[in-house]
Each structure stands twice: as C-alpha cells, then as structure tokens.
Amino acid sequence: MEDGLEAPGPLWKIIVVAAIAAGVQFGWALQLSLLTPYVQTLGVPHIWAAFIWLCGPISGLLVQPIVGYNSDRCTSRFGRRRPFIAAGACCVAAAVFLIGFAKDIGHKAGDSLEKNAKPRAVAVFVAGFWILDVANNMLQGPCRALLADLSANNHKRMRVANECFSFFMAVGNVLGYAAGSYSNLHKIFPFTRTTACDVYCANLKTCFIIDIVFLLLVTITAIISVKETPLSMKQEEEKASTPFVGELLTAFKSLKKPMWILLLVTCLNWIAWFPFLLYDTDWMGREIYGGYVDGNATQQKLYDDGVRAGALGLMINSIVLGFTSLGLENVGRLVGGVTNLWGGVNFILAACLASTVWITKIVEAWRDKHGLLAPPNNIKGPALTIFGLLGIPQAVTYSIPFALTSIYCSTSGGGQGLALGVLNMSIVIPQMFISVVSGPLDAAFGGGNLPAFVLGSIVAAVSALLAIFALPNPPQQVSLSPVIGGGH
C-alpha cells in the first residue's frame, strides 16, 4: 500500500481527522449566515456584496487542485498531508481575526463613525475574506486525502470515512448556524463590543473567536495523534513524472459522454443553488422582516432579527441534510436510480426557490395592513420550512455528483483526486458567474433578492430534466455512499 499503509488505519484515527470538517464547516456556516449582512454594515451596497464572494470560487478553482497535487508529492518528515492541514488551520485563524476585527482596525486607521462607508474596514475585511477562502481550500483537500490514506483503498473503510466526514460537516453547520442565530453571544466576551463595533458586530466577533478555538483544538488533536509515513524522495520523483497541467489536460481529453453530461448538470445545479446560499439570511432580514441595514433604528433591528431567523433556518436545513444523507442510496433504488433521485430533488429545489416569491408577496401584503412589524408565525413558519426542505436536495448535491464522478472516471487514468478536481471546476465557475450577475440582476428589477432566486428556480428545473433524461445511471452494484463536497 502507498506510504507503507498495509491495512486501513483504526477507526478512531478516521474520526479524529474527520472532526476537522466540523471546524471548517463551523466557519463556513458563519460566512453563509452572517457575512453578507455584515458586508453591508461596512457601507458596501447590496449590488456589490456578491462580488466579494468571488474569492471563494476563484480560490476553489486554483488553490484546491494545486494544494492537492503538491500534498501528493510532499516529502516533509511530518508527512504529506499534515503540514498543509496545520498551515491551513493557522491561516484560517488569522483570516477570521481580520474579518471579525475589521471595523475596529478600520476605525483605528481613520474610518469615520458618522459615515456609512468605511473603506479601510472594507479593505481589511476583503483581505481577511480572501485569505479565509484560500485557507479553507488549503485545509479541506489534504484533510480528505489523509482520510483516503487512512482507508488504504479499503472500500468499506472509505465509506465509513466519508460518513464520518459528512457527520462532522453537519455538526459544524449546526454549531455555526446556532451561534449565528443567538443575539447575546457577545456577552461571553464583553471586550468584543467597542466604539466601532455594535452588538451585531460583537456577536460576529464572538462567533469567530469560538470558531478559532474550536478549529485549532480539533486540528492540533488530529495532527498530533495521527502519524504519517513520510514520502521518500524516490517516490516523489516517480509521482512527479507528469506535470500537473499535463495531467489535467489528459483528464479532460479522456472524459466520456456521461462525465460531460454530469459536469453540465452539476454546473446548472450550482447556478441554481448559489443565489440562495449567498442571500438566504439577507432575504429573511430584507424581504420577510422588512428591515434595512442602513435604515432607521426599527428597520435595523428588524433586519438583525431577520438575519438571526435565517441562521435558525440554516440550522434546521443542516439537520435535515444530515438525516437525508443517511438514506440516499436506499431511496435511489426505490425511485429507479440515483439520476432519477437527483432530478426529483432538483424539482424540489426549483419549487422552493419559486415559493420565495409567493411568501414575500404575502408578507408585503400583511405589512401594508399592519405596518413595519416582525411577521407573524404563520408567515415565518413557511419561510423556515423552505430552509428545511432545501436540506433534501442539498444532501443530494453534496453527495451524488462526487460519487458519480468517481465511477465515471475510474478508468480515465488521472486518479480520483484529479477527477474530483475536474468536477470542482463545474462547481466554482457557476459560483463566479452568480457572484458577478446576481447583484446587477437584482438591481435591474428594483432591488432585493427575488430576481436571482427566480433565475435559480428556472435553472434548477432544467438541471432536473437533464439529470432524469440525459444522465445515465451507474451500474447497480456500485455503492454510492455519500461523499460530501466542501463549502466552496
């Protein structure tokens, strides 16, 4: 076996390494639930907020394949994966600090408290945000690769490792969204509330401080307790016989028709997903609660309440996602194959995104009668139900494309890591597209988030039809245990 692994590592090692996913996903959940509203408190207009999210797709497109390629060839005495995992965790901690303290640093550098625009804080935030996404990609790839090393090509153990990774991602999501939905978390660290940082900002800082401690704790535990056999120079020379670009081009040339269809369905699927992932809590604060970041005190409070309600919805979403992922293989058999399952849940995605328009119109009519008040439970309930229902297609999006890639590319000669890198391109490129067009699209139709959601609904329906009628099912004997994709 590679690297001297003659048998799969013990289960406790897999669990310890997989637990890093909880730390990574904790921070990713905080990004999804809190950072788009936070950007607007820095004076960045809604139309431009999406551009800041370009760093995630770009870093995913460039960093993850490069880091994965080099971690395969690392000859450090500490092992191939652990140096990258340690460096990634340290970079995440530094980036999170910059993001959380951006307002304080900007104020010290000369930002005015009286002006909405805080350019110095924005610069610090953007720098931290880009570092964070690069670091997340630096951390996740080697972590998954180390799990594969510990599995030693044992398929049963690999399925167990993937299930552990999926479980800890759900744990991280629940922790992140729960923290984001709690309005008094800043009381744990009173120093987080400063002249430049209000309660909302202080809660964000506290969340990120907890994330730093948690991530470093699970990472240090993993890299200390799980040892690797270093890669010898001779092995590295054998691995380096083909340059990275050459391997990537070879992988594209060897793709069969099913894989090209899979890339297209995945691309459309993520065009549908990303508007909601980007603006879900902003939709709750803006459309459902009727608040505004730069409005009066009542509007600001409503917006904050809506964002916290959105974080609660995302926590519900994560719970549904976790339970759904456990039964995907059995449900796939019942509906005639995983491609039918993927198509069916994409129709659920399309319906949920379309229903945001219906719920928004209902709450607007209610607000015309009752004034600027928080919506009643009979309106909040359906909105939170959308978050929960979306956990079903999200479980499929995070599992089936990765499993199908491993099957379709098993004879391509490029290796599983490279095949998944090719799939990653069909995920991050749509995210870059949505980051560029969603803000101007929303502005062209009067502002708000609904135009991008409607676009996502239409594209989700198209991807559903392609999955059902164009994408071939894999052989029935191939197991499709969930392989959860990363945040980006």
Side-chain angles (χ1 to χ4, degrees), residues 442-484:
D442 290 338
F445 288 89
N449 301 299
L450 297 184
F453 290 176
V454 171
L455 172 64
S457 177
I458 296 171
V459 175
V462 175
S463 69
L465 293 173
L466 283 174
I468 293 173
F469 295 108
L471 192 62
N473 266 310
Q476 293 184 358
Q477 69 271 20
V478 179
S479 177
L480 286 177
S481 295
V483 182
I484 298 297

Side-chain angles (χ1 to χ4, degrees), residues 84-255:
F84 289 92
I85 293 173
C90 290
C91 290
V92 168
V96 163
F97 177 84
L98 288 176
I99 291 172
F101 287 82
K103 278 190 174 181
D104 295 309
I105 297 172
H107 177 56
K108 294 290 185 182
D111 281 344
S112 173
L113 296 178
E114 285 72 32
K115 296 181 179 179
N116 288 331
K118 298 174 176 60
R120 296 168 183 82
V122 171
V124 174
F125 171 86
V126 171
F129 198 34
W130 277 73
I131 295 172
L132 177 61
D133 278 300
V134 169
N136 276 336
N137 282 287
M138 184 188 301
L139 182 59
Q140 290 185 73
C143 181
R144 293 196 187 97
L146 181 55
L147 287 174
D149 295 342
L150 292 171
S151 300
N153 293 325
N154 182 292
H155 291 178
K156 181 178 179 180
R157 186 51 58 91
M158 180 67 76
R159 291 195 297 269
V160 171
N162 289 328
E163 290 167 2
C164 289
F165 197 81
S166 172
F167 170 77
F168 281 110
M169 286 190 71
V171 170
N173 273 337
V174 171
L175 291 175
Y177 296 139
S181 65
Y182 184 55
S183 60
N184 293 316
L185 202 62
H186 66 281
K187 294 181 179 179
I188 299 176
F189 302 117
F191 65 86
T192 56
R193 189 171 181 180
T194 63
T195 304
C197 189
D198 58 11
V199 172
Y200 180 84
C201 170
N203 276 323
L204 180 70
K205 280 198 288 189
T206 303
C207 289
F208 277 138
I209 290 172
I210 295 173
D211 179 39
I212 290 174
V213 174
F214 180 65
L215 175 61
L216 292 181
L217 179 62
V218 294
T219 302
I220 291 172
T221 301
I223 62 178
I224 289 177
S225 59
V226 179
K227 306 297 182 182
E228 291 184 272
T229 302
L231 185 70
S232 69
M233 290 299 296
K234 181 179 179 180
Q235 288 174 307
E236 194 277 336
E237 289 172 359
E238 293 174 353
K239 286 177 174 289
S241 59
T242 304
F244 169 70
V245 175
E247 290 190 6
L248 187 62
L249 292 175
T250 300
F252 270 109
K253 291 179 180 179
S254 63
L255 292 182

